[in-house]
Amino acid sequence: MSSIFPTVSRMFVNCRVAFTARPIHRLLTSGKQYGYIEVSKRGERQNVGLLRLNRPKALNALCAGLMEELINAVEDFEADNAVGAIVLTGSDKAFAAGADIAEMDKYDFKDVYNKNFPVRWTEFYPKRKPLIAAVNGFALGGGCEVAMMCDIIYAGEKAQFGQPEILLGTIPGSGGTQRLVRAIGKSKAMEMILTGNRLSAQEAQEAGLVSKVFPDDQVVDESVKLGEKIGALSKLAVAIAREAVNQSQELPLSEGLKFERRVFQSSFATNDRKEGMKAFVEKRKANFTDS
Ligand code: CAA
């Protein structure tokens, strides 16, 4: 336990606003202590990792310390063979109100350039396991960008999505100008980014940003159920499928189709593909071994 204290101390130095507001560390299932997030396992088979941003006094603003904790906690879930999917959520009022403006206010060009801020944020994205955003309240700026980095977004009825950076004299810096365009199209994304106008949960669903909308008090449970469903399947097949879908965001169609064909063919080398098809033919439930 003592070995993590230097890391945790650094996080709090980076996150002074919340340090004064929330000095009490929470003990996690992994035995680690975090100040800005809560970590637990959910689902009947405890196969869903739940990450809850918990910096209420700043509406879960994404300060450097919080992002380091998130990266750390996701790494632990990635290493936990029992976990098949991860859900990321915030509070009823805010998924996250963006990057921490008070923290950024202190930066100048040299600071953000030298640290390549906020490139480190991309590192919380799990390499293998699906990440579901369960969004209630504000998902603004970096909060909207973090939701868009997730693989699937479920939203509560009162959720609001926006990229208000223009109102601060800057622009989205963690994928907003790229992922939002891919998610909802250029015209809608351009309008949001040039004005700071927000989308309601219903509008976000109609636009394709969000896959489902639920009453606010059900969005986390529904996200966990989704995680349980995915987590009960072959982790290997899920990881391969996710990788192929993600390639669609990067590659031209012909290259994406080639990639898909190759990884589809690769799946024929797995025990889970053999078991899945055998079980179908034998009219029984497949027993996947993630191999
Ligand atoms: N950073 C730091 N603190 C924040 C914050 C943020 N992004 N958003 C809210 N807070 C703090 C407020 O300063 C306030 O703190 P105090 O009580 O100490 O004054 C507290 O959270 C509550 O906020 P409000 O009183 O403003 O609450 P509200 O309900 O009246 O308004 C809101 C809510 C509309 C979300 C408003 O807080 C707001 O506009 N926040 C900023 C949203 C924003 O501009 N996000 C983009 C940030 S830039 C970015 O993310 C860059 C990037 O792409 C990487």
Side-chain angles (χ1 to χ4, degrees):
M1 185 84 76
S2 57
S3 63
I4 65 154
F5 280 138
T7 314
V8 170
S9 308
R10 265 202 313 281
M11 291 171 185
F12 282 107
V13 168
N14 286 336
C15 225
R16 273 173 297 169
V17 176
F19 178 62
T20 50
R22 184 157 290 275
I24 299 168
H25 300 174
R26 279 170 285 277
L27 188 64
L28 308 179
T29 50
S30 63
K32 288 184 184 169
Q33 292 177 319
Y34 293 127
Y36 307 110
I37 62 174
E38 291 176 352
V39 181
S40 57
K41 286 207 224 168
R42 295 293 170 93
E44 271 177 33
R45 296 163 57 190
Q46 297 282 286
N47 64 343
V48 179
L50 179 66
L51 298 168
R52 187 184 291 279
L53 306 184
N54 190 3
R55 198 191 167 200
K57 293 202 169 149
L59 301 183
N60 292 332
L62 304 165
C63 64
L66 186 151
M67 292 310 293
E68 291 302 319
E69 292 188 358
L70 204 53
I71 291 166
N72 202 293
V74 167
E75 265 174 21
D76 283 349
F77 280 144
E78 283 262 80
D80 185 338
N81 288 336
V83 169
I86 304 168
V87 172
L88 175 62
T89 194
S91 67
D92 293 347
K93 183 160 183 195
F95 176 74
D100 188 312
I101 300 169
E103 193 174 72
M104 287 188 296
D105 183 43
K106 299 183 184 76
Y107 297 161
D108 63 16
F109 170 73
K110 138 179 92 37
D111 301 321
V112 291
Y113 184 78
N114 285 341
K115 286 183 190 155
N116 205 11
F117 173 77
V119 74
R120 181 133 172 85
W121 289 21
T122 56
E123 290 172 30
F124 84 89
Y125 184 71
K127 290 175 185 58
R128 296 277 176 263
K129 299 184 182 176
L131 181 63
I132 301 158
V135 177
N136 272 323
F138 299 114
L140 301 180
C144 185
E145 291 170 311
V146 161
M148 288 192 291
M149 286 181 215
C150 296
D151 297 308
I152 297 169
I153 307 179
Y154 275 7
E157 282 166 342
K158 292 198 281 296
Q160 293 183 39
F161 297 83
Q163 297 289 162
E165 289 88 345
I166 201 81
L167 308 175
L168 301 169
T170 185
I171 71 163
S174 203
T177 64
Q178 305 301 305
R179 291 199 178 92
L180 193 60
V181 174
R182 284 168 169 77
I184 69 175
K186 180 180 165 185
S187 179
K188 281 195 174 80
M190 190 70 93
E191 185 181 336
M192 288 174 71
I193 289 165
L194 296 191
T195 62
N197 288 352
R198 300 176 199 156
L199 289 185
S200 68
Q202 290 71 21
E203 288 167 334
Q205 186 187 20
E206 280 159 25
L209 180 62
V210 159
S211 65
K212 285 188 185 152
V213 176
F214 298 96
D216 287 0
D217 61 354
Q218 290 172 25
V219 66
V220 173
D221 287 347
E222 292 293 339
S223 301
V224 169
K225 273 190 217 159
L226 178 67
E228 284 184 281
K229 186 170 187 175
I230 296 169
L233 302 173
S234 160
K235 290 187 184 62
L236 202 51
V238 165
I240 295 170
R242 179 174 176 258
E243 196 179 352
V245 172
N246 279 337
Q247 287 297 319
S248 74
Q249 306 296 292
E250 310 282 345
L251 298 177
L253 182 62
S254 58
E255 291 302 314
L257 290 171
K258 262 189 234 162
F259 182 86
E260 180 194 75
R261 204 173 308 124
R262 287 290 171 261
V263 289
F264 166 73
Q265 290 161 355
S266 307
S267 78
F268 279 65
T270 68
N271 291 326
D272 283 347
R273 195 283 308 167
K274 289 177 192 128
E275 166 64 8
M277 292 193 183
K278 199 161 190 281
F280 178 85
V281 171
E282 292 173 358
K283 300 192 188 305
R284 62 174 173 80
K285 195 170 179 311
N287 179 24
F288 294 122
T289 53
D290 307 324
S291 61

